[in-house]
PDB file of all heavy atoms in Angstrom:
ATOM      1  N   PHE A 190     -10.471 -44.654  33.725  1.00  0.00           N
ATOM      2  CA  PHE A 190     -10.104 -43.338  34.222  1.00  0.00           C
ATOM      3  C   PHE A 190      -9.363 -43.454  35.558  1.00  0.00           C
ATOM      4  O   PHE A 190      -9.597 -44.374  36.337  1.00  0.00           O
ATOM      5  CB  PHE A 190     -11.360 -42.486  34.431  1.00  0.00           C
ATOM      6  CG  PHE A 190     -11.967 -41.993  33.156  1.00  0.00           C
ATOM      7  CD1 PHE A 190     -12.621 -42.863  32.298  1.00  0.00           C
ATOM      8  CD2 PHE A 190     -11.894 -40.655  32.799  1.00  0.00           C
ATOM      9  CE1 PHE A 190     -13.174 -42.422  31.116  1.00  0.00           C
ATOM     10  CE2 PHE A 190     -12.439 -40.198  31.629  1.00  0.00           C
ATOM     11  CZ  PHE A 190     -13.087 -41.079  30.771  1.00  0.00           C
ATOM     12  N   CYS A 191      -8.501 -42.486  35.812  1.00  0.00           N
ATOM     13  CA  CYS A 191      -7.856 -42.420  37.124  1.00  0.00           C
ATOM     14  C   CYS A 191      -8.630 -41.442  38.001  1.00  0.00           C
ATOM     15  O   CYS A 191      -9.404 -40.619  37.517  1.00  0.00           O
ATOM     16  CB  CYS A 191      -6.393 -42.000  36.990  1.00  0.00           C
ATOM     17  SG  CYS A 191      -6.130 -40.239  36.733  1.00  0.00           S
ATOM     18  N   SER A 192      -8.425 -41.525  39.283  1.00  0.00           N
ATOM     19  CA  SER A 192      -9.138 -40.665  40.232  1.00  0.00           C
ATOM     20  C   SER A 192      -8.544 -39.263  40.237  1.00  0.00           C
ATOM     21  O   SER A 192      -7.417 -39.036  39.787  1.00  0.00           O
ATOM     22  CB  SER A 192      -9.049 -41.257  41.640  1.00  0.00           C
ATOM     23  OG  SER A 192      -7.698 -41.187  42.109  1.00  0.00           O
ATOM     24  N   LEU A 193      -9.304 -38.321  40.775  1.00  0.00           N
ATOM     25  CA  LEU A 193      -8.812 -36.949  40.910  1.00  0.00           C
ATOM     26  C   LEU A 193      -7.597 -36.911  41.831  1.00  0.00           C
ATOM     27  O   LEU A 193      -6.637 -36.171  41.578  1.00  0.00           O
ATOM     28  CB  LEU A 193      -9.920 -36.047  41.454  1.00  0.00           C
ATOM     29  CG  LEU A 193      -9.534 -34.576  41.686  1.00  0.00           C
ATOM     30  CD1 LEU A 193      -9.160 -33.905  40.369  1.00  0.00           C
ATOM     31  CD2 LEU A 193     -10.672 -33.809  42.361  1.00  0.00           C
ATOM     32  N   LYS A 194      -7.631 -37.718  42.878  1.00  0.00           N
ATOM     33  CA  LYS A 194      -6.510 -37.752  43.820  1.00  0.00           C
ATOM     34  C   LYS A 194      -5.218 -38.146  43.107  1.00  0.00           C
ATOM     35  O   LYS A 194      -4.175 -37.493  43.277  1.00  0.00           O
ATOM     36  CB  LYS A 194      -6.809 -38.735  44.955  1.00  0.00           C
ATOM     37  CG  LYS A 194      -5.805 -38.742  46.091  1.00  0.00           C
ATOM     38  CD  LYS A 194      -6.294 -39.643  47.231  1.00  0.00           C
ATOM     39  CE  LYS A 194      -5.397 -39.518  48.456  1.00  0.00           C
ATOM     40  NZ  LYS A 194      -4.054 -40.056  48.226  1.00  0.00           N
ATOM     41  N   LEU A 195      -5.278 -39.180  42.299  1.00  0.00           N
ATOM     42  CA  LEU A 195      -4.095 -39.614  41.553  1.00  0.00           C
ATOM     43  C   LEU A 195      -3.652 -38.565  40.541  1.00  0.00           C
ATOM     44  O   LEU A 195      -2.463 -38.311  40.364  1.00  0.00           O
ATOM     45  CB  LEU A 195      -4.384 -40.927  40.825  1.00  0.00           C
ATOM     46  CG  LEU A 195      -4.269 -42.225  41.625  1.00  0.00           C
ATOM     47  CD1 LEU A 195      -4.699 -43.404  40.766  1.00  0.00           C
ATOM     48  CD2 LEU A 195      -2.856 -42.429  42.135  1.00  0.00           C
ATOM     49  N   ALA A 196      -4.627 -37.934  39.892  1.00  0.00           N
ATOM     50  CA  ALA A 196      -4.307 -36.940  38.868  1.00  0.00           C
ATOM     51  C   ALA A 196      -3.624 -35.711  39.449  1.00  0.00           C
ATOM     52  O   ALA A 196      -2.835 -35.053  38.762  1.00  0.00           O
ATOM     53  CB  ALA A 196      -5.583 -36.529  38.136  1.00  0.00           C
ATOM     54  N   LEU A 197      -3.925 -35.406  40.711  1.00  0.00           N
ATOM     55  CA  LEU A 197      -3.326 -34.232  41.355  1.00  0.00           C
ATOM     56  C   LEU A 197      -2.048 -34.565  42.122  1.00  0.00           C
ATOM     57  O   LEU A 197      -1.349 -33.656  42.568  1.00  0.00           O
ATOM     58  CB  LEU A 197      -4.338 -33.579  42.307  1.00  0.00           C
ATOM     59  CG  LEU A 197      -5.553 -32.907  41.658  1.00  0.00           C
ATOM     60  CD1 LEU A 197      -6.513 -32.399  42.727  1.00  0.00           C
ATOM     61  CD2 LEU A 197      -5.136 -31.774  40.728  1.00  0.00           C
ATOM     62  N   GLU A 198      -1.748 -35.850  42.279  1.00  0.00           N
ATOM     63  CA  GLU A 198      -0.591 -36.246  43.075  1.00  0.00           C
ATOM     64  C   GLU A 198       0.487 -36.902  42.223  1.00  0.00           C
ATOM     65  O   GLU A 198       1.140 -37.858  42.637  1.00  0.00           O
ATOM     66  CB  GLU A 198      -1.026 -37.177  44.210  1.00  0.00           C
ATOM     67  CG  GLU A 198      -1.895 -36.491  45.252  1.00  0.00           C
ATOM     68  CD  GLU A 198      -2.287 -37.412  46.389  1.00  0.00           C
ATOM     69  OE1 GLU A 198      -1.961 -38.626  46.321  1.00  0.00           O
ATOM     70  OE2 GLU A 198      -2.914 -36.929  47.347  1.00  0.00           O
ATOM     71  N   VAL A 199       0.690 -36.377  41.033  1.00  0.00           N
ATOM     72  CA  VAL A 199       1.744 -36.886  40.156  1.00  0.00           C
ATOM     73  C   VAL A 199       3.112 -36.630  40.795  1.00  0.00           C
ATOM     74  O   VAL A 199       3.383 -35.533  41.296  1.00  0.00           O
ATOM     75  CB  VAL A 199       1.674 -36.200  38.779  1.00  0.00           C
ATOM     76  CG1 VAL A 199       2.820 -36.656  37.882  1.00  0.00           C
ATOM     77  CG2 VAL A 199       0.331 -36.476  38.116  1.00  0.00           C
ATOM     78  N   ASP A 200       3.964 -37.636  40.801  1.00  0.00           N
ATOM     79  CA  ASP A 200       5.327 -37.496  41.331  1.00  0.00           C
ATOM     80  C   ASP A 200       6.225 -36.987  40.206  1.00  0.00           C
ATOM     81  O   ASP A 200       6.659 -37.747  39.333  1.00  0.00           O
ATOM     82  CB  ASP A 200       5.824 -38.846  41.848  1.00  0.00           C
ATOM     83  CG  ASP A 200       7.248 -38.765  42.391  1.00  0.00           C
ATOM     84  OD1 ASP A 200       7.801 -37.641  42.476  1.00  0.00           O
ATOM     85  OD2 ASP A 200       7.811 -39.830  42.725  1.00  0.00           O
ATOM     86  N   TRP A 201       6.514 -35.685  40.238  1.00  0.00           N
ATOM     87  CA  TRP A 201       7.273 -35.083  39.142  1.00  0.00           C
ATOM     88  C   TRP A 201       8.772 -35.348  39.236  1.00  0.00           C
ATOM     89  O   TRP A 201       9.530 -34.925  38.364  1.00  0.00           O
ATOM     90  CB  TRP A 201       6.990 -33.587  39.075  1.00  0.00           C
ATOM     91  CG  TRP A 201       5.576 -33.326  38.674  1.00  0.00           C
ATOM     92  CD1 TRP A 201       4.536 -32.992  39.489  1.00  0.00           C
ATOM     93  CD2 TRP A 201       5.014 -33.436  37.354  1.00  0.00           C
ATOM     94  NE1 TRP A 201       3.363 -32.885  38.782  1.00  0.00           N
ATOM     95  CE2 TRP A 201       3.625 -33.144  37.460  1.00  0.00           C
ATOM     96  CE3 TRP A 201       5.550 -33.755  36.105  1.00  0.00           C
ATOM     97  CZ2 TRP A 201       2.781 -33.160  36.347  1.00  0.00           C
ATOM     98  CZ3 TRP A 201       4.705 -33.779  35.001  1.00  0.00           C
ATOM     99  CH2 TRP A 201       3.339 -33.484  35.130  1.00  0.00           C
ATOM    100  N   THR A 202       9.209 -36.072  40.280  1.00  0.00           N
ATOM    101  CA  THR A 202      10.612 -36.499  40.343  1.00  0.00           C
ATOM    102  C   THR A 202      10.797 -37.826  39.615  1.00  0.00           C
ATOM    103  O   THR A 202      11.913 -38.257  39.374  1.00  0.00           O
ATOM    104  CB  THR A 202      11.076 -36.643  41.807  1.00  0.00           C
ATOM    105  OG1 THR A 202      10.302 -37.672  42.461  1.00  0.00           O
ATOM    106  CG2 THR A 202      10.881 -35.331  42.567  1.00  0.00           C
ATOM    107  N   ASN A 203       9.679 -38.471  39.288  1.00  0.00           N
ATOM    108  CA  ASN A 203       9.714 -39.727  38.552  1.00  0.00           C
ATOM    109  C   ASN A 203      10.155 -39.473  37.110  1.00  0.00           C
ATOM    110  O   ASN A 203       9.745 -38.495  36.491  1.00  0.00           O
ATOM    111  CB  ASN A 203       8.311 -40.351  38.575  1.00  0.00           C
ATOM    112  CG  ASN A 203       8.229 -41.648  37.799  1.00  0.00           C
ATOM    113  OD1 ASN A 203       8.169 -41.627  36.581  1.00  0.00           O
ATOM    114  ND2 ASN A 203       8.195 -42.759  38.516  1.00  0.00           N
ATOM    115  N   GLU A 204      10.998 -40.338  36.578  1.00  0.00           N
ATOM    116  CA  GLU A 204      11.549 -40.125  35.237  1.00  0.00           C
ATOM    117  C   GLU A 204      10.461 -40.077  34.167  1.00  0.00           C
ATOM    118  O   GLU A 204      10.535 -39.287  33.227  1.00  0.00           O
ATOM    119  CB  GLU A 204      12.560 -41.233  34.899  1.00  0.00           C
ATOM    120  CG  GLU A 204      13.860 -41.135  35.674  1.00  0.00           C
ATOM    121  CD  GLU A 204      14.561 -39.786  35.471  1.00  0.00           C
ATOM    122  OE1 GLU A 204      14.588 -39.283  34.327  1.00  0.00           O
ATOM    123  OE2 GLU A 204      15.065 -39.234  36.455  1.00  0.00           O
ATOM    124  N   LYS A 205       9.455 -40.924  34.303  1.00  0.00           N
ATOM    125  CA  LYS A 205       8.375 -40.941  33.320  1.00  0.00           C
ATOM    126  C   LYS A 205       7.602 -39.626  33.340  1.00  0.00           C
ATOM    127  O   LYS A 205       7.254 -39.069  32.296  1.00  0.00           O
ATOM    128  CB  LYS A 205       7.429 -42.117  33.600  1.00  0.00           C
ATOM    129  CG  LYS A 205       6.350 -42.290  32.553  1.00  0.00           C
ATOM    130  CD  LYS A 205       5.489 -43.508  32.854  1.00  0.00           C
ATOM    131  CE  LYS A 205       4.394 -43.668  31.813  1.00  0.00           C
ATOM    132  NZ  LYS A 205       3.532 -44.846  32.078  1.00  0.00           N
ATOM    133  N   ALA A 206       7.346 -39.111  34.564  1.00  0.00           N
ATOM    134  CA  ALA A 206       6.635 -37.837  34.687  1.00  0.00           C
ATOM    135  C   ALA A 206       7.481 -36.695  34.151  1.00  0.00           C
ATOM    136  O   ALA A 206       6.970 -35.784  33.481  1.00  0.00           O
ATOM    137  CB  ALA A 206       6.269 -37.592  36.147  1.00  0.00           C
ATOM    138  N   LYS A 207       8.780 -36.741  34.444  1.00  0.00           N
ATOM    139  CA  LYS A 207       9.680 -35.695  33.945  1.00  0.00           C
ATOM    140  C   LYS A 207       9.653 -35.611  32.421  1.00  0.00           C
ATOM    141  O   LYS A 207       9.671 -34.529  31.849  1.00  0.00           O
ATOM    142  CB  LYS A 207      11.116 -35.967  34.408  1.00  0.00           C
ATOM    143  CG  LYS A 207      11.414 -35.580  35.840  1.00  0.00           C
ATOM    144  CD  LYS A 207      12.879 -35.862  36.161  1.00  0.00           C
ATOM    145  CE  LYS A 207      13.232 -35.496  37.594  1.00  0.00           C
ATOM    146  NZ  LYS A 207      14.655 -35.800  37.899  1.00  0.00           N
ATOM    147  N   SER A 208       9.599 -36.772  31.781  1.00  0.00           N
ATOM    148  CA  SER A 208       9.611 -36.796  30.318  1.00  0.00           C
ATOM    149  C   SER A 208       8.350 -36.195  29.711  1.00  0.00           C
ATOM    150  O   SER A 208       8.354 -35.743  28.565  1.00  0.00           O
ATOM    151  CB  SER A 208       9.795 -38.235  29.815  1.00  0.00           C
ATOM    152  OG  SER A 208       8.672 -39.029  30.158  1.00  0.00           O
ATOM    153  N   SER A 209       7.256 -36.193  30.487  1.00  0.00           N
ATOM    154  CA  SER A 209       5.998 -35.636  29.981  1.00  0.00           C
ATOM    155  C   SER A 209       5.789 -34.183  30.399  1.00  0.00           C
ATOM    156  O   SER A 209       4.795 -33.569  30.033  1.00  0.00           O
ATOM    157  CB  SER A 209       4.815 -36.476  30.480  1.00  0.00           C
ATOM    158  OG  SER A 209       4.687 -36.359  31.892  1.00  0.00           O
ATOM    159  N   LEU A 210       6.751 -33.633  31.143  1.00  0.00           N
ATOM    160  CA  LEU A 210       6.586 -32.284  31.683  1.00  0.00           C
ATOM    161  C   LEU A 210       6.409 -31.240  30.580  1.00  0.00           C
ATOM    162  O   LEU A 210       5.566 -30.353  30.684  1.00  0.00           O
ATOM    163  CB  LEU A 210       7.792 -31.918  32.553  1.00  0.00           C
ATOM    164  CG  LEU A 210       7.735 -30.572  33.279  1.00  0.00           C
ATOM    165  CD1 LEU A 210       6.523 -30.505  34.201  1.00  0.00           C
ATOM    166  CD2 LEU A 210       9.029 -30.357  34.078  1.00  0.00           C
ATOM    167  N   LYS A 211       7.177 -31.358  29.506  1.00  0.00           N
ATOM    168  CA  LYS A 211       7.107 -30.341  28.456  1.00  0.00           C
ATOM    169  C   LYS A 211       5.781 -30.389  27.695  1.00  0.00           C
ATOM    170  O   LYS A 211       5.420 -29.435  27.006  1.00  0.00           O
ATOM    171  CB  LYS A 211       8.278 -30.499  27.491  1.00  0.00           C
ATOM    172  CG  LYS A 211       8.303 -31.811  26.731  1.00  0.00           C
ATOM    173  CD  LYS A 211       9.528 -31.869  25.821  1.00  0.00           C
ATOM    174  CE  LYS A 211       9.589 -33.205  25.068  1.00  0.00           C
ATOM    175  NZ  LYS A 211      10.785 -33.274  24.195  1.00  0.00           N
ATOM    176  N   HIS A 212       5.054 -31.500  27.827  1.00  0.00           N
ATOM    177  CA  HIS A 212       3.750 -31.625  27.167  1.00  0.00           C
ATOM    178  C   HIS A 212       2.594 -31.306  28.115  1.00  0.00           C
ATOM    179  O   HIS A 212       1.433 -31.362  27.698  1.00  0.00           O
ATOM    180  CB  HIS A 212       3.561 -33.047  26.621  1.00  0.00           C
ATOM    181  CG  HIS A 212       4.636 -33.466  25.669  1.00  0.00           C
ATOM    182  ND1 HIS A 212       4.859 -32.822  24.471  1.00  0.00           N
ATOM    183  CD2 HIS A 212       5.575 -34.452  25.742  1.00  0.00           C
ATOM    184  CE1 HIS A 212       5.868 -33.392  23.838  1.00  0.00           C
ATOM    185  NE2 HIS A 212       6.326 -34.381  24.593  1.00  0.00           N
ATOM    186  N   THR A 213       2.909 -30.994  29.367  1.00  0.00           N
ATOM    187  CA  THR A 213       1.874 -30.724  30.366  1.00  0.00           C
ATOM    188  C   THR A 213       1.493 -29.245  30.343  1.00  0.00           C
ATOM    189  O   THR A 213       2.369 -28.384  30.445  1.00  0.00           O
ATOM    190  CB  THR A 213       2.374 -31.096  31.776  1.00  0.00           C
ATOM    191  OG1 THR A 213       2.770 -32.475  31.778  1.00  0.00           O
ATOM    192  CG2 THR A 213       1.280 -30.879  32.815  1.00  0.00           C
ATOM    193  N   PRO A 214       0.219 -28.930  30.218  1.00  0.00           N
ATOM    194  CA  PRO A 214      -0.187 -27.527  30.190  1.00  0.00           C
ATOM    195  C   PRO A 214       0.195 -26.807  31.479  1.00  0.00           C
ATOM    196  O   PRO A 214       0.071 -27.369  32.572  1.00  0.00           O
ATOM    197  CB  PRO A 214      -1.716 -27.603  30.047  1.00  0.00           C
ATOM    198  CG  PRO A 214      -1.994 -28.975  29.536  1.00  0.00           C
ATOM    199  CD  PRO A 214      -0.922 -29.855  30.072  1.00  0.00           C
ATOM    200  N   VAL A 215       0.635 -25.578  31.352  1.00  0.00           N
ATOM    201  CA  VAL A 215       0.968 -24.767  32.529  1.00  0.00           C
ATOM    202  C   VAL A 215      -0.255 -24.628  33.442  1.00  0.00           C
ATOM    203  O   VAL A 215      -0.129 -24.513  34.664  1.00  0.00           O
ATOM    204  CB  VAL A 215       1.481 -23.376  32.077  1.00  0.00           C
ATOM    205  CG1 VAL A 215       1.644 -22.449  33.274  1.00  0.00           C
ATOM    206  CG2 VAL A 215       2.806 -23.521  31.343  1.00  0.00           C
ATOM    207  N   ASP A 216      -1.434 -24.671  32.845  1.00  0.00           N
ATOM    208  CA  ASP A 216      -2.663 -24.518  33.630  1.00  0.00           C
ATOM    209  C   ASP A 216      -2.836 -25.639  34.657  1.00  0.00           C
ATOM    210  O   ASP A 216      -3.555 -25.464  35.647  1.00  0.00           O
ATOM    211  CB  ASP A 216      -3.874 -24.478  32.703  1.00  0.00           C
ATOM    212  CG  ASP A 216      -3.990 -23.149  31.976  1.00  0.00           C
ATOM    213  OD1 ASP A 216      -2.992 -22.733  31.358  1.00  0.00           O
ATOM    214  OD2 ASP A 216      -5.060 -22.521  32.032  1.00  0.00           O
ATOM    215  N   TYR A 217      -2.211 -26.784  34.434  1.00  0.00           N
ATOM    216  CA  TYR A 217      -2.267 -27.856  35.432  1.00  0.00           C
ATOM    217  C   TYR A 217      -1.630 -27.399  36.734  1.00  0.00           C
ATOM    218  O   TYR A 217      -2.161 -27.648  37.827  1.00  0.00           O
ATOM    219  CB  TYR A 217      -1.552 -29.099  34.898  1.00  0.00           C
ATOM    220  CG  TYR A 217      -1.377 -30.200  35.927  1.00  0.00           C
ATOM    221  CD1 TYR A 217      -2.417 -31.061  36.236  1.00  0.00           C
ATOM    222  CD2 TYR A 217      -0.161 -30.365  36.579  1.00  0.00           C
ATOM    223  CE1 TYR A 217      -2.247 -32.070  37.172  1.00  0.00           C
ATOM    224  CE2 TYR A 217       0.022 -31.373  37.515  1.00  0.00           C
ATOM    225  CZ  TYR A 217      -1.036 -32.228  37.815  1.00  0.00           C
ATOM    226  OH  TYR A 217      -0.872 -33.220  38.749  1.00  0.00           O
ATOM    227  N   PHE A 218      -0.514 -26.714  36.645  1.00  0.00           N
ATOM    228  CA  PHE A 218       0.183 -26.229  37.837  1.00  0.00           C
ATOM    229  C   PHE A 218      -0.512 -24.996  38.416  1.00  0.00           C
ATOM    230  O   PHE A 218      -0.547 -24.810  39.636  1.00  0.00           O
ATOM    231  CB  PHE A 218       1.645 -25.936  37.497  1.00  0.00           C
ATOM    232  CG  PHE A 218       2.354 -27.134  36.946  1.00  0.00           C
ATOM    233  CD1 PHE A 218       2.599 -27.252  35.585  1.00  0.00           C
ATOM    234  CD2 PHE A 218       2.743 -28.177  37.774  1.00  0.00           C
ATOM    235  CE1 PHE A 218       3.225 -28.366  35.068  1.00  0.00           C
ATOM    236  CE2 PHE A 218       3.366 -29.310  37.269  1.00  0.00           C
ATOM    237  CZ  PHE A 218       3.609 -29.401  35.906  1.00  0.00           C
ATOM    238  N   LEU A 219      -1.086 -24.179  37.539  1.00  0.00           N
ATOM    239  CA  LEU A 219      -1.881 -23.044  38.007  1.00  0.00           C
ATOM    240  C   LEU A 219      -3.069 -23.527  38.829  1.00  0.00           C
ATOM    241  O   LEU A 219      -3.420 -22.926  39.851  1.00  0.00           O
ATOM    242  CB  LEU A 219      -2.367 -22.220  36.806  1.00  0.00           C
ATOM    243  CG  LEU A 219      -3.287 -21.039  37.127  1.00  0.00           C
ATOM    244  CD1 LEU A 219      -2.574 -20.015  37.997  1.00  0.00           C
ATOM    245  CD2 LEU A 219      -3.783 -20.390  35.832  1.00  0.00           C
TER     246      LEU A 219
END
Side-chain angles (χ1 to χ4, degrees):
F190 286 71
C191 78
S192 68
L193 178 63
K194 187 174 188 293
L195 278 175
L197 292 176
E198 293 182 355
V199 176
D200 179 6
W201 293 101
T202 63
N203 178 282
E204 289 303 319
K205 185 177 179 180
K207 281 182 180 179
S208 66
S209 66
L210 184 59
K211 63 181 179 181
H212 303 298
T213 303
V215 172
D216 285 52
Y217 172 80
F218 303 103
L219 176 62

